[in-house]
Amino acid sequence: MPRLEFDGYPLLMCDPTANRIPAAALDRCAAWIADQPGKAAAGKAMPRDVSQILDGPHYTESPVLIGPAPMICGVLCRPRERQTEAEPVIFLNAGGVPHVGWARGTVEAARALAAEGVASLRVDLPGLGLSDPTEEGRLFLYDRRTRHDVSRAINWMERAGYPGVGLVGTCAGAFQAFHAARADRRVRMLTMINPLCFAWNSSYALEVAVWKTYETSKAVLGQNAGAMQESREPAAPAWRGIVSRCARLIIRRGLEAIKSTLSMLHPAALLGQRRVERWMRDLCGRGVRVLLVTSEGDLSLKEIARHFGSEEERLDSIRGVTRVSLPNADHTLTPYHARRAVIARLIDHGGIRRDGYARSEPVRATASPSFLAP
């Protein structure tokens, strides 16, 4: 059995926003597989009648391919038995995370909604996960043109028999969901989880570039540290880690200041027009129900304060916005209890009773949610 060095593993496994696919290593694997005689697989071609549908205890799932190019890949999750009148949900990518979601959170949410009679579609937007790459010149994650790709997914759902939908997005997915909802009146419900940007400008591009550089360097340093340990060379002094954390904090605060300054210098802001607040009021004014979920201490709170005031009174005054704060949760909702709490709020926000029928009015809540039992 030949053994080859897996070059690029640390960069593959780092933050999805900054990771790099080791194309050379994958090409070598593909070449090795192509050179094998294939005796084990000979005569064992997959039967033509094999179903692509996954049957679960209370759901069925099937792959979805949405054209034209760039093709969008996704998974449609339907209730196995009953279906409510509530709008189905389209889950968008959380940053660069594929459609399964961070810690499989999107899969968990889709199947939990199916248990309540709600269908969902979890997709990879172009340039992410299994979907086709985008054309040159598209911004990574925050391109406003991506809302047209979201509308393509909504078109597919409409052809499947769902005239109205809800959109759910975390981080960059929240940005895409927000602007797609503004542009497409078929969106009836919007869930934004830890949004880091409402209105894009060059300062956000700088922040993404700094973050990618930091995550990439961290992966490389981790690889070098492993090599030093194997060679029994002395590890880096502890003070280097402290300096690195302090430098990162200073850079983060500087970037936040730049974002706030550029937001205030926007022509709309100089004319006294709060455009993000106006967008949100217009959205809710046409009847869209907005659920805004934030983790305690998350940077998304600074973004919300940037556009709605530090006390957030202007946001709370918008009828149709429901606020939820998650204690002991990180940005991507890694803790299990945080993901379960969001699922509970999605069910409530969609107006679904436990008996599987739609509520006449959605539940409103501003307090931190109670956690569902596993």
Side-chain angles (χ1 to χ4, degrees):
M1 178 69 69
R3 296 183 62 183
L4 298 172
E5 189 73 22
F6 190 170
D7 295 327
Y9 177 79
L11 291 176
L12 172 66
M13 301 305 294
C14 75
D15 185 277
T17 306
N19 72 349
R20 298 177 186 173
I21 304 300
L26 294 177
D27 287 343
R28 295 173 76 178
C29 291
W32 180 83
I33 293 172
D35 288 340
Q36 302 308 302
K39 294 179 181 179
K44 295 183 179 180
M46 183 177 293
R48 293 181 179 272
D49 60 348
V50 171
S51 174
Q52 291 183 313
I53 297 177
L54 174 64
D55 285 316
H58 50 262
Y59 63 86
T60 62
E61 291 186 340
S62 55
V64 168
L65 192 61
I66 302 171
M71 303 299 287
I72 297 174
C73 294
V75 175
L76 178 66
C77 184
R78 295 176 182 262
R80 188 177 178 86
E81 296 179 355
R82 67 180 188 273
Q83 185 106 3
T84 72
E85 295 180 357
E87 290 86 5
V89 169
I90 298 178
F91 291 97
L92 306 181
N93 301 90
V97 180
H99 65 270
V100 296
W102 189 263
R104 295 186 75 251
T106 308
V107 175
E108 294 173 353
R111 294 175 181 177
L113 287 176
E116 302 294 335
V118 182
S120 65
L121 175 66
R122 51 187 190 268
V123 297
D124 283 330
L125 294 173
L128 299 171
L130 298 176
S131 293
D132 283 349
T134 59
E135 67 271 19
E136 293 294 330
R138 290 281 287 266
L139 294 170
F140 184 70
L141 300 180
Y142 285 99
D143 198 303
R144 289 277 298 274
R145 290 170 290 182
T146 303
R147 71 177 184 271
H148 301 302
D149 297 314
V150 179
S151 285
R152 288 166 57 200
I154 299 174
N155 292 341
W156 190 94
M157 291 294 280
E158 186 174 31
R159 291 193 296 270
Y162 303 106
V165 300
L167 296 179
V168 179
T170 301
C171 190
F175 173 89
Q176 298 298 350
F178 180 59
H179 290 285
R182 291 180 53 226
D184 199 316
R185 288 184 171 269
R186 292 170 294 179
V187 177
R188 315 276 177 76
M189 183 178 68
L190 171 64
T191 299
M192 304 176 69
I193 303 170
N194 290 329
L196 292 181
C197 177
F198 285 98
W200 182 262
N201 62 44
S202 58
S203 62
Y204 293 87
L206 175 62
E207 182 178 35
V208 171
V210 170
W211 175 256
K212 290 176 66 175
T213 301
Y214 171 78
E215 289 296 326
T216 303
S217 63
K218 188 169 65 173
V220 173
L221 288 173
Q223 183 179 26
N224 293 340
M228 289 172 61
Q229 186 174 5
E230 289 181 4
S231 62
R232 297 184 180 181
E233 294 181 8
W239 60 266
R240 290 188 182 178
I242 298 174
V243 171
S244 176
R245 287 192 293 272
C246 290
R248 185 185 179 194
L249 179 60
I250 292 171
I251 292 172
R252 171 66 70 185
R253 289 179 176 175
L255 289 171
E256 286 297 321
I258 292 172
K259 286 193 290 186
S260 296
T261 301
L262 289 183
S263 295
M264 289 187 295
L265 292 177
H266 189 275
L270 293 175
L271 293 173
Q273 300 172 351
R274 300 166 179 160
R275 57 177 181 152
V276 172
E277 182 179 343
R278 185 180 72 252
W279 293 341
M280 186 68 77
R281 290 188 183 277
D282 290 345
L283 200 60
C284 294
R286 71 166 204 249
V288 177
R289 306 189 305 279
V290 179
L291 177 64
L292 188 55
V293 181
T294 53
S295 301
E296 289 184 353
D298 190 75
L299 282 172
S300 57
L301 295 171
K302 293 184 179 296
E303 176 69 4
I304 293 171
R306 185 174 293 118
H307 297 287
F308 297 96
S310 58
E311 300 299 325
E312 300 170 11
E313 293 178 356
R314 301 201 307 272
L315 179 60
D316 294 335
S317 70
I318 302 175
R319 181 174 177 80
V321 175
T322 300
R323 294 287 311 281
V324 171
S325 177
L326 298 177
N328 304 315
D330 60 5
H331 182 69
T332 47
L333 309 187
T334 303
Y336 179 75
H337 69 75
R339 300 196 305 276
R340 295 303 300 179
V342 169
I343 291 171
R345 286 308 184 197
L346 285 175
I347 293 170
D348 283 344
H349 190 60
I352 306 303
R353 295 206 307 262
R354 294 297 176 177
D355 58 10
Y357 293 93
R359 291 190 180 99
S360 58
E361 292 292 337
V363 171
R364 295 184 179 276
T366 55
S368 298
S370 57
F371 301 140
L372 292 180

